[in-house]
Amino acid sequence: LPVTGVDDNLIDWNASRKLTWDDFKGKPDLTSPNVALTNSSINVEFGYNNKMLTHSIKCRFNKTLSWVKVKNDYILKHEQGHFDLAEAHARELHKKLLEYRFNNQTVNKDLNRIYDKVMKEHVNAQEQYDLQTDHSLDSVKQKQWDSKISAMLKEYEPYADYR
């Protein structure tokens, strides 16, 4: 018997597994001006002893918290862009954690600072993406962002091994 649970609602980011409208299982927010909403998250777990840091990162799409009112390929590509932006920032976080020089005295503060900085950039990028593309309606800006997101994924490609 297959085991079902919360993980059925989460999709790990994968270059060869693009989002489909079937992944958007949430109930649409009828008060929202958005025609679709992508809920993605970057989670990190830390472990360390007095000499070394280990970490594990997950970049996931949440099916039950993501919804759609209008379905077309163009909007779906925009929503994929949100998920891809999250992946780029997960890779950036991995890079910064690998570069971190372990300090037993300040490790908690250091990790929080690194995480907060990358998450702030991530939230800002997500907001700018919607603002500048007018939620995908500005096709010229959308193309620019598609290129920008692609470039970010490529830049951080060496850090895609965080899983």
Side-chain angles (χ1 to χ4, degrees):
L1 237 92
V3 178
T4 58
V6 72
D7 280 350
D8 292 346
N9 292 320
L10 301 174
I11 301 169
D12 286 313
W13 189 93
N14 184 318
S16 60
R17 199 301 191 185
K18 299 297 182 196
L19 297 174
T20 69
W21 285 127
D22 288 340
D23 297 327
F24 291 73
K25 306 273 190 211
K27 192 174 181 309
D29 177 355
L30 300 178
T31 65
S32 171
N34 295 358
V35 294
L37 181 114
T38 291
N39 180 288
S40 59
S41 60
I42 300 170
N43 297 326
V44 63
E45 290 178 11
F46 301 110
Y48 55 88
N49 54 30
N50 57 0
K51 296 197 267 300
M52 196 179 100
L53 168 73
T54 58
H55 66 273
S56 164
I57 299 172
K58 289 182 173 42
C59 178
R60 292 176 158 166
F61 173 91
N62 188 313
K63 293 180 186 181
T64 52
L65 295 178
S66 300
W67 51 261
V68 60
K69 292 189 240 178
V70 176
K71 296 180 183 180
N72 66 45
D73 292 346
Y74 190 70
I75 294 169
L76 184 60
K77 191 172 189 292
H78 176 82
E79 296 307 311
Q80 179 69 51
H82 280 292
F83 196 20
D84 292 347
L85 257 178
E87 171 65 11
H89 286 94
R91 293 176 184 185
E92 181 185 1
L93 179 61
H94 181 51
K95 175 184 190 283
K96 295 227 159 86
L97 292 173
L98 288 174
E99 291 169 350
Y100 172 64
R101 294 185 53 156
F102 188 83
N103 179 333
N104 198 30
Q105 305 302 307
T106 59
V107 64
N108 276 333
K109 196 171 61 172
D110 296 341
L111 295 179
N112 283 330
R113 185 179 36 76
I114 292 166
Y115 180 78
D116 289 347
K117 184 177 186 298
V118 175
M119 288 306 105
K120 205 170 278 178
E121 288 172 12
H122 175 237
V123 168
N124 185 48
Q126 293 285 2
E127 288 171 356
Q128 289 304 308
Y129 178 52
D130 271 342
L131 201 64
Q132 292 177 15
T133 64
D134 192 13
H135 299 271
S136 84
L137 296 176
D138 185 330
S139 58
V140 172
K141 285 285 187 195
Q142 183 65 52
K143 276 193 175 65
Q144 290 171 359
W145 267 94
D146 291 346
S147 297
K148 183 177 178 169
I149 294 167
S150 251
M152 286 174 75
L153 287 170
K154 198 171 178 58
E155 177 188 351
Y156 293 114
E157 179 66 33
Y159 304 97
D161 63 346
Y162 63 78
R163 287 162 191 84

